[in-house]
Amino acid sequence: MLARLAVAAGRIKVDSIEVALAEGGTGEPVVLVHGLLSDGRALLDATRTLAGRFRVLAPDLPGFGGSDKPRSYLYSPEGFGAFVVRLARALGLARYAVVGAGSGRAAAAAAARRDPDRVVMAAALREPLCAVVLARTLLSRRQSYAARKLAETLLRGGARGAGLPAFERTGELAAALAEAFARARQSAADERVDEAAERERAEELDQKDKARRRLRVLN
């Protein structure tokens, strides 16, 4: 039986929008993107295995749950993808993974396209069905508006998350995420070695150039 997940719940401002954010675990950051059937907290609870290895961040998307619900927001996969990137910047994440559930997989794919230098992996996971979220969507005029706009975009072909690797089990997803972060760390280490070598080479050329100039002066 899995241990109870300790969740920190708070709010963060992303641009002008206040967002409810649930967080659990420590380590490399993984941003969860819910769809129409859940919210951030429900998705975090359903994937608590990930919090045993990573810092898992699960926002309520704008228009849903405890987040602001501006009527003029772009409730689409591209709009939510841009939101994920801005959230990562607001949190100061140097690199991160994005996991989308249900319709959130299209937003995860959009975030990876927008921020390829920092997103180490974008993946898809089955979304848990949360009755409370569904009831809230039906009862809240603003949330039902956001859900309707997102659904309309998806029906028009605005979903581009089909190419993401999909996982049925969070254990398998955790292993794939660990590999992706390991590759990113190795790549960053290789880049630092290359940069150091370039600096040494530049300094060596500079010293040789100074030596040549001194010889010309002496001659």
Side-chain angles (χ1 to χ4, degrees):
M1 186 175 179
L2 292 172
R4 184 175 177 80
L5 174 62
V7 175
R11 298 182 70 80
I12 184 172
K13 201 158 193 176
V14 181
D15 295 334
S16 60
I17 299 175
E18 281 205 4
V19 176
L21 180 67
E23 179 177 350
T26 58
E28 298 278 18
V30 177
V31 179
L32 301 181
V33 186
H34 67 79
L36 294 170
L37 304 180
S38 65
D39 58 13
R41 177 58 188 265
L43 189 54
L44 180 60
D45 286 343
T47 58
R48 55 190 182 275
T49 301
L50 295 179
R53 301 178 66 174
F54 306 99
R55 177 191 177 193
V56 183
L57 302 150
D60 287 350
L61 294 174
F64 295 88
S67 295
D68 286 350
K69 302 171 179 63
R71 196 167 181 82
S72 59
Y73 196 82
L74 182 60
Y75 296 114
S76 71
E78 290 298 328
F80 288 138
F83 161 77
V84 170
V85 174
R86 293 196 298 271
L87 172 67
R89 288 175 181 162
L91 291 167
L93 305 183
R95 61 173 175 252
Y96 60 102
V98 189
V99 177
S103 59
R105 67 182 61 192
R113 289 193 300 271
R114 285 177 172 269
D115 200 10
D117 293 335
R118 294 192 300 161
V119 175
V120 302
M121 181 180 181
L125 192 65
R126 178 180 295 178
E127 184 172 26
L129 173 61
C130 182
V132 173
V133 171
L134 293 178
R136 188 187 299 133
T137 299
L138 293 173
L139 295 173
S140 168
R141 185 168 59 184
R142 288 191 175 183
Q143 182 157 318
S144 60
Y145 173 82
R148 187 175 70 253
K149 287 295 183 182
L150 177 57
E152 288 173 357
T153 305
L154 295 171
L155 290 173
R156 287 197 302 268
R160 294 174 57 193
L164 296 186
F167 296 86
E168 290 292 327
R169 299 175 180 173
T170 53
E172 295 172 350
L173 172 59
L177 290 170
E179 289 181 9
F181 279 115
R183 288 194 300 270
R185 287 192 297 270
Q186 184 59 52
S187 177
D190 291 343
E191 287 178 4
R192 286 194 294 271
V193 169
D194 291 342
E195 289 173 0
E198 286 294 329
R199 284 196 300 270
E200 289 178 5
R201 177 62 177 162
E203 290 172 0
E204 181 183 347
L205 291 174
D206 185 55
Q207 291 298 325
K208 288 181 178 179
D209 185 58
K210 288 179 180 178
R212 283 195 296 268
R213 287 199 298 269
R214 284 196 296 269
L215 285 173
R216 282 199 297 269
V217 170
L218 292 173
N219 292 334

